[in-house]
Amino acid sequence: MNAGEKNELLVKMRLVQLRDSNAVLNIFGNNKVINSVGFKGIEYRPLPTNLVDLKMLTERQISDISAEMGIGKAALFDKADVFINGEGYSLKSLETAPPAIINHTARPGWERVCRVVGCNINELDDIVAKYWELRKGGIIKEDSHNSDSTSPFKDHKTYLLPILNYFTFKGSATKESPSPAKFILDVSNPLDISTWTFYDERFLDLMWDKLIFSIRAKKGMKNYPNISDVAEKESMNKWTEMFQGEYRGALHIRLGK
């Protein structure tokens, strides 16, 4: 398992430990007793009674004990990774590799989300067109940081936030999430709750200057330009450029430090 998968399992095990010791967590300035930890209405089982210290577990032990407790990794379309007191939380670690907010997604997926949140995609088309103008002119590189004055995205917060919040908390480019998230739990150390930070729907607003926008090839591009669906191909055409020997048209967004 990779570091992210290991940390996700350890966070869930630590939450069960807190639940079963009647501990409290400081969430948004309020001390809350943790009385339920699970997923999709199924409560995680207690830790083994002979388990002394979570820090001493090997990866194999973490995997085996998690399976015994009914703890697993959230599925592809789940936005929540765990439910605490019945509310969905998405687990992220902002201290490690910059987590993806939206994985490589071509224009048709953004079109769907724009329809769902009730905004016009034309403004995003204009932003992407500006990105390509700056990219081809050598003003920006593939990664466009909102902390940089040249970012074509940074001045469009009011327009973009409802779209990005949908991807973060509610669904994907193709469908609604069966397990939407209400909150973000940022974890630096999975076993040390003093390193945990909770965020509500204002998460991306607070992180705006740390967002990194990229338009990429391969992932998210399917088999472009050999797309049989005419409407889908026409939509992809609007963002896609042949640049540096590859068709690039999938918008990817991640958090920097």
Side-chain angles (χ1 to χ4, degrees):
M1 71 179 72
N2 62 40
E5 292 168 338
K6 176 182 175 181
N7 285 344
E8 180 178 336
L9 295 178
L10 284 173
V11 168
K12 293 176 181 178
M13 294 169 76
R14 180 70 174 117
L15 283 166
V16 168
Q17 194 175 52
L18 293 169
R19 179 198 68 191
D20 294 346
S21 61
N22 296 313
V24 299
L25 272 178
N26 188 295
I27 303 177
F28 309 120
N30 299 308
N31 289 325
K32 294 188 177 182
V33 176
I34 305 305
N35 51 47
S36 174
V37 179
F39 196 73
K40 294 186 178 179
I42 300 174
E43 199 73 9
Y44 293 149
R45 292 184 285 275
L47 290 159
T49 55
N50 61 347
L51 181 58
V52 177
D53 191 347
L54 292 175
K55 294 194 295 291
M56 303 302 294
L57 296 178
T58 64
E59 286 191 2
R60 178 61 183 270
Q61 288 172 319
I62 292 170
S63 179
D64 290 347
I65 293 172
S66 294
E68 291 175 15
M69 297 170 66
I71 294 173
K73 181 174 172 55
L76 176 63
F77 291 104
D78 291 322
K79 290 299 176 179
D81 295 298
V82 64
F83 283 77
I84 304 171
N85 293 351
E87 296 182 308
Y89 287 76
S90 174
L91 302 178
K92 297 190 181 298
S93 179
L94 308 186
E95 294 298 317
T96 57
I101 299 299
I102 302 168
N103 278 313
H104 314 72
T105 301
R107 189 179 182 278
W110 291 87
E111 265 188 305
R112 189 196 85 82
V113 173
C114 283
R115 287 194 298 271
V116 171
V117 302
C119 69
N120 194 314
I121 198 173
N122 291 348
E123 184 170 342
L124 186 51
D125 288 340
D126 291 341
I127 298 169
V128 170
K130 184 64 176 178
Y131 171 96
W132 276 120
E133 177 187 330
L134 296 171
R135 182 81 175 96
K136 291 179 175 180
I139 307 299
I140 61 174
K141 296 184 178 180
E142 181 178 74
D143 289 346
S144 178
H145 298 246
N146 268 358
S147 58
D148 193 322
S149 62
T150 60
S151 168
F153 298 91
K154 70 179 184 64
D155 293 331
H156 297 269
K157 182 196 285 190
T158 301
Y159 168 76
L160 287 170
L161 276 182
I163 305 170
L164 305 193
N165 279 334
Y166 176 89
F167 277 105
T168 303
F169 294 101
K170 296 181 179 180
S172 69
T174 56
K175 66 178 185 178
E176 298 288 308
S177 173
S179 302
K182 188 174 181 180
F183 304 108
I184 300 287
L185 173 51
D186 168 29
V187 174
S188 295
N189 182 331
L191 301 181
D192 183 357
I193 62 174
S194 71
T195 71
W196 295 7
T197 305
F198 295 89
Y199 297 93
D200 58 14
E201 69 280 356
R202 294 170 292 179
F203 174 68
L204 290 177
D205 189 12
L206 295 170
M207 297 292 165
W208 185 251
D209 288 341
K210 295 183 179 181
L211 293 183
I212 303 169
F213 295 77
S214 314
I215 295 183
R216 297 181 174 179
K218 299 183 177 70
K219 290 182 181 179
M221 294 299 291
K222 297 186 176 180
N223 193 33
Y224 186 91
N226 301 313
I227 307 293
S228 57
D229 187 306
V230 175
E232 183 178 30
K233 184 176 180 181
E234 287 180 352
S235 178
M236 292 180 73
N237 287 344
K238 294 181 180 180
W239 286 9
T240 303
E241 298 280 349
M242 168 60 78
F243 189 71
Q244 295 179 337
E246 294 183 290
Y247 287 107
R248 302 174 186 270
L251 182 55
H252 178 81
I253 305 174
R254 68 188 193 277
L255 271 173
K257 294 185 178 180

